[in-house]
Amino acid sequence: MLPTPSTSHVCFDRVYEPAEDSFLLLDTISAPSEAAFLHDRFEHPPHHGPCSTPPLVLEVGVGSGVVLAFVAANAGKIFGREDVLTLGVDINSFACDAASKTVQNAIKTGSRSTFLDIVNGDLASSIRPHSIDVFIFNPPYVPAELPDFSRHNDYNAPRPGQKPTSFEQDSYLLELSYAGGVDGMEVTNRMLEQIPDILDPSRGVAYLLLCAQNKPEAVKQDIRNWGHGWKAETVGTSGKQAGWEKLQIVRIWRSTA
Amino acid sequence: MKLLTLNFLTCAVKTCKTSASSFPLHPRDSELEIVEAEINVQFLQNILPRLMWEELGGLVNELGLPSLPPTAPLPSALVESKLQAPESDTTGLNIEKLEVPSQVARDLHRVLLETCIMSGGLVCGNCGHEYKVLEGVANFLLPAHLV
Ligand SMILES: C[S@@+](CC[C@H](N)C(=O)[O-])C[C@H]1O[C@@H](n2cnc3c(N)ncnc32)[C@H](O)[C@@H]1O
Ligand SMILES: [Zn+2]
């Protein structure tokens, strides 16, 4: 078991606190079978073919930053190479600040990976096409009405001259972290549309967390129906209840062979 | 935000993605700060093929920083060897050849990883939208009418 990065500096009143879903992502990505897949895909120097460049890892919805920090701190073990780049996005500016500290603390000692930045944005809309090698998303997946985005500008930053945040502001920011609309899939569906455009066409791979209410079998089938060799498989599960997995991690990638 | 990050970002407006002028974003009224970081020559050597060299050079000029060379350096230009006796050798006779970061590597490291935009704007060359940078964090959220 690799150590979990510290998030003790984060105030969880307005930033998602690491939970079972976060830990399932950590466990899945660092499990021997997944590490073997990633080593093979990103090994350096490669057995054959040209020298491969440092992989760029993007996490959308970083929250506290626990997942991205884990990847940054354990890059050598996960990818078989240390020269990995990490980049994060969150719609919540408080999460951006929190995650940036979490990642920087986690790589202070002993890691040779390179942390870029956390940007405040909507999904991967600001990412240069086809530049991402590893994509990670633990979305707002609970079937619950989406929050009213018209308040976003007011609530996304500390209010000048006032107490850091109000109760309504904090509730709104936490709603952003779990509420996923119909079937808990509204945000994830928008993200899935962007995935083929942001991933590197040959070595890109995405990890997506789904819960049982998201209808994961149908989601995976939809991805396979993209054609062009796109694949989707469950590579990690947790919370088995009466034969149902509560949470799962789906790996999305293209096999060109 | 680090200048290397701008190598991977573009305008968030969907219709700008297909236009070459949406990359790179152009810094406006930037306040820069040097945040020192440990140099990793191997990383620099490996990242070279991923850099949009010409565009980065343009960015550096727009920021008024010392110009990058017109073409990307070869990985071998990032190291130089230095003849030196190891510290443990008190006689000073056992001279060894050590590989150290070259000036080219140190300059590149400074530009890509230590030069940070702390505040200002990032402007799309296609639609003209300006994204704000505040306290080192860029805000790419679009007003509803642009989404
Ligand atoms: C379930 S939390 C996951 C947090 C963290 N990655 C973890 O695993 O602990 C979902 C995160 O996604 C962010 N988020 C929600 N909608 C988003 C959007 N449209 N674009 C970017 N981030 C978003 C939320 O602010 C929240 O931090
Ligand atoms: Zn634009």
Side-chain angles (χ1 to χ4, degrees):
Chain A
M1 279 276 280
L2 300 172
T4 304
S6 162
T7 50
S8 58
H9 59 282
V10 184
C11 175
F12 297 120
D13 291 343
R14 57 198 78 95
V15 173
Y16 189 80
E17 181 168 5
E20 190 183 345
D21 46 5
S22 329
F23 299 126
L24 177 60
L25 261 173
L26 304 190
D27 291 344
T28 303
I29 291 176
S30 61
S33 54
E34 215 46 40
F37 171 85
L38 292 168
H39 277 232
D40 187 49
R41 213 161 170 89
F42 296 106
E43 72 174 345
H44 181 78
H47 277 315
H48 43 79
C51 230
S52 85
T53 56
L56 172 55
V57 180
L58 170 71
E59 186 188 7
V60 163
V62 284
S64 66
V66 68
V67 178
L68 194 63
F70 179 84
V71 171
N74 300 299
K77 296 204 177 76
I78 298 171
F79 301 103
R81 61 192 294 167
E82 294 262 358
D83 62 340
V84 168
L85 279 163
T86 49
L87 176 64
V89 177
D90 206 289
I91 196 169
N92 171 352
S93 79
F94 296 92
C96 295
D97 288 342
S100 177
K101 291 198 187 79
T102 306
V103 179
Q104 280 168 294
N105 286 342
I107 58 173
K108 226 184 269 165
T109 48
S111 171
R112 300 288 279 158
S113 70
T114 302
F115 170 55
L116 288 174
D117 281 287
I118 310 286
V119 301
N120 191 198
D122 177 37
L123 305 179
S125 58
S126 61
I127 301 298
R128 183 156 67 82
H130 303 298
S131 57
I132 305 303
D133 299 295
V134 181
F135 173 79
I136 302 170
F137 191 31
N138 176 6
Y141 55 79
V142 175
E145 203 183 328
L146 293 178
D148 170 11
F149 292 106
S150 67
R151 300 174 296 173
H152 194 79
N153 247 340
D154 295 339
Y155 283 171
N156 189 34
R159 299 168 309 158
Q162 297 190 33
K163 269 201 300 171
T165 51
S166 62
F167 176 74
E168 293 74 34
Q169 184 174 9
D170 287 349
S171 318
Y172 169 79
L173 293 169
L174 286 185
E175 258 178 80
L176 283 176
S177 71
Y178 68 82
V182 177
D183 291 337
M185 281 300 290
E186 288 189 44
V187 181
T188 304
N189 278 336
R190 280 203 301 125
M191 189 62 241
L192 283 170
E193 256 178 60
Q194 298 182 354
I195 284 184
D197 297 331
I198 60 162
L199 285 187
D200 180 279
S202 59
R203 60 180 195 171
V205 53
Y207 293 93
L208 173 68
L209 182 135
L210 295 174
C211 76
Q213 291 100 315
N214 298 155
K215 307 190 174 130
E217 287 310 313
V219 174
K220 285 188 281 180
Q221 195 50 50
D222 284 347
I223 295 166
R224 294 176 192 129
N225 292 345
W226 292 349
H228 304 287
W230 283 101
K231 295 190 171 190
E233 293 301 339
T234 301
V235 291
T237 58
S238 83
K240 212 177 177 100
Q241 279 172 346
W244 283 83
E245 316 294 352
K246 215 169 83 197
L247 298 173
Q248 61 176 285
I249 308 293
V250 174
R251 186 216 288 157
I252 303 168
W253 79 110
R254 264 182 72 189
S255 76
T256 37
Chain B
M1 98 183 297
K2 301 176 178 74
L3 296 193
L4 180 54
T5 303
L6 289 174
N7 190 63
F8 302 106
L9 297 178
T10 183
C11 180
V13 176
K14 219 178 190 169
T15 49
C16 284
K17 296 272 191 299
T18 49
S19 153
S21 57
S22 64
F23 178 85
L25 297 166
H26 304 282
R28 179 186 283 168
D29 304 327
S30 312
E31 195 187 301
L32 299 180
E33 198 177 298
I34 299 292
V35 180
E36 297 211 350
E38 205 181 316
I39 188 165
N40 180 343
V41 176
Q42 213 201 335
F43 168 77
L44 289 173
Q45 289 177 320
N46 296 347
I47 198 76
L48 284 171
R50 291 201 71 160
L51 300 178
M52 307 291 274
W53 192 260
E54 229 173 275
E55 287 85 348
L56 267 175
L59 258 173
V60 163
N61 292 342
E62 286 171 30
L63 287 167
L65 299 168
S67 290
L68 294 180
T71 53
L74 290 171
S76 58
L78 299 190
V79 286
E80 60 191 22
S81 34
K82 203 167 114 185
L83 295 176
Q84 183 181 304
E87 272 171 38
S88 56
D89 173 27
T90 46
T91 65
L93 292 173
N94 299 308
I95 305 281
E96 275 182 2
K97 212 167 125 187
L98 292 175
E99 298 245 293
V100 294
S102 66
Q103 188 61 44
V104 179
R106 280 179 281 146
D107 290 347
L108 195 58
H109 174 70
R110 168 116 321 187
V111 168
L112 296 178
L113 294 158
E114 294 189 322
T115 307
C116 300
I117 302 182
M118 297 313 288
S119 68
L122 296 167
V123 181
C124 170
N126 189 50
C127 71
H129 187 77
E130 179 180 323
Y131 301 95
K132 290 280 180 210
V133 182
L134 272 179
E135 293 176 38
V137 181
N139 183 334
F140 282 94
L141 293 165
L142 290 167
H145 67 276
L146 285 178
V147 178

